[in-house]
Amino acid sequence: MLRIHFSDADLARTRVSATPDPLWEVAASLHRLQSRIGRWAYAGWYRMARQRLREKGLERAVRTVLLPLYPRAAYFPDFLTPGHAADGWDAGAESILATSPQRVLGEMAILDRTVGAPPWAGQLARPDARKELVRILRAYHEAVVDPYKEQVGARIEAERAVRVRGVLDGAVEGMLAGLGPMMRWRHPVLEVTYPKQISDRDLFLNGRGLNLVPSYFNWAEPVAFADPELPPVLWYSLLHEPDARDAVRAFADGAGDPSKPLTALLGRARAVALYAASTGATTGEIARAAGVSASAASRHATALRDAGLLTSIRNGQTVLHTLTPVGAAMLRAARS
């Protein structure tokens, strides 16, 4: 578990990014290529990515350069996902190029101790090697991340809308309290679920505030910099509404399904509905996620609301469903 400690000054300086972090999305998407966990949520992207990488002649560079630098493991170098990247690709690329050789070598040594660094990793201390890395990263981003910019942008806008409701209801603390199911606010600490292979640690913001960055390609646990001296950033997953056909297939065979225990308890459609509501979902969105009619989705939402797991708010012609604390706790327990 990661415990993030806030002061009043930190609460005042906490914000939710309006745009995706392009270099983090590169890192997280590379993790998606290395894991079948959550594959159902990215089935369309995965097929597109494999095809585009072949077409662009990037398969070898991804296999021999990027995957060794971004292992889906307890650690990969912080300098590869600089906080400045939230200001756009160019700012992030400049930050990578400006990284000191000492920092590059130090973080590569950590990577080597943790999971093993590629034999050429030390060469990245040279500016020309980092320039070539940035070129590969840009080509990868253009090939497989940029085509999803509209979907990513739409999800981030929806996420920010949900967080605004939290602020209106309970100020910044109300927003933090609604970040579950992988995060729990217990004033003055935000408890963040972290991979089990990483030891518990504490991050003291010390008046710097926290930049919360929603991530389309991140799955499950949020991620922060390993170095507590770096500007505090927390990348966290936008829990995805699956394509209806992919969801039906995944829930039928249980492959990569983080809500499998809920399926046994609630039934497939209601488990999908609960999962979709974790970031706020309309009745129509639940219907598409579960592959059922709008009237059936409404009945499932009503049953979950009557059980105290969902709360529903009408907004114009739509009804928005979100998790109650009990619903968030149930989903968090099912995913642990």
Side-chain angles (χ1 to χ4, degrees):
M1 177 179 291
L2 170 65
R3 292 175 291 269
I4 304 177
H5 298 258
F6 288 74
S7 66
D8 289 343
D10 294 311
L11 290 172
R13 295 187 175 108
T14 292
R15 60 201 179 278
V16 179
S17 179
T19 58
D21 180 331
L23 282 168
W24 175 257
E25 295 304 300
V26 164
S29 68
L30 287 165
H31 292 166
R32 303 285 63 77
L33 293 177
Q34 298 175 67
S35 174
R36 293 191 60 84
I37 297 175
R39 179 68 58 82
W40 59 268
Y42 304 93
W45 173 84
Y46 183 80
R47 290 190 294 270
M48 180 276 296
R50 296 297 296 269
Q51 179 179 347
R52 295 269 294 176
L53 291 175
R54 285 194 299 270
E55 293 173 350
K56 299 294 184 179
L58 290 170
E59 287 182 305
R60 185 174 184 276
V62 169
R63 184 177 64 254
T64 62
V65 178
L66 299 186
L67 294 184
L69 289 177
Y70 297 83
R72 187 177 173 274
Y75 177 83
F76 63 91
D78 286 336
F79 82 89
L80 296 174
T81 53
H84 295 106
D87 297 326
W89 177 271
D90 290 340
E94 289 175 7
S95 184
I96 290 178
L97 294 174
T99 306
S100 70
Q102 293 80 8
R103 178 180 170 189
V104 171
L105 293 174
E107 293 186 3
M108 287 303 172
I110 297 174
L111 177 65
D112 195 43
R113 292 196 303 270
T114 305
V115 293
W120 46 263
Q123 297 178 22
L124 290 176
R126 302 200 323 259
D128 62 322
R130 291 201 301 283
K131 186 174 181 179
E132 175 61 14
L133 173 62
V134 167
R135 185 194 67 78
I136 296 172
L137 291 171
R138 185 185 295 273
Y140 174 88
H141 184 272
E142 291 176 352
V144 304
V145 177
D146 195 56
Y148 266 60
K149 63 182 178 182
E150 291 187 4
Q151 291 95 318
V152 174
R155 288 309 308 269
I156 288 180
E157 283 301 312
E159 169 67 7
R160 280 169 58 84
V162 171
R163 298 305 143 226
V164 166
R165 287 195 292 269
V167 172
L168 293 175
D169 291 340
V172 175
E173 291 195 63
M175 183 267 287
L176 294 172
L179 285 172
M182 307 299 287
M183 293 175 272
R184 177 181 300 175
W185 174 249
R186 293 182 175 180
H187 179 86
V189 176
L190 181 65
E191 298 177 347
V192 180
T193 301
Y194 239 44
K196 294 179 181 179
Q197 65 266 34
I198 299 178
S199 301
D200 288 359
R201 67 187 185 99
D202 293 272
L203 173 60
F204 294 88
L205 299 178
N206 295 326
R208 296 173 295 173
L210 180 66
N211 187 18
L212 292 159
V213 182
S215 171
Y216 185 85
F217 289 104
N218 190 61
W219 183 258
E221 295 93 349
V223 180
F225 283 127
D227 185 350
E229 299 304 316
L230 292 171
V233 179
L234 186 69
W235 294 274
Y236 68 98
S237 175
L238 292 166
L239 300 181
H240 296 275
E241 173 189 322
D243 176 81
R245 290 169 298 176
D246 292 331
V248 169
R249 188 182 305 114
F251 276 81
D253 62 19
D257 171 24
S259 298
K260 186 176 180 181
L262 293 182
T263 305
L265 178 65
L266 302 174
R268 183 195 61 79
R270 290 180 186 175
V272 175
L274 190 71
Y275 194 80
S278 60
T279 54
T282 65
T283 303
E285 289 169 342
I286 289 175
R288 289 192 294 275
V292 299
S293 66
S295 60
S298 180
R299 290 195 299 273
H300 290 311
T302 297
L304 293 170
R305 184 171 61 251
D306 290 345
L309 303 178
L310 294 186
T311 184
S312 303
I313 301 174
R314 178 165 292 279
N315 182 18
Q317 298 300 311
T318 63
V319 176
L320 181 72
H321 307 283
T322 57
L323 296 181
T324 65
V326 174
M330 178 177 286
L331 186 57
R332 185 165 52 245
R335 298 182 59 143
S336 63

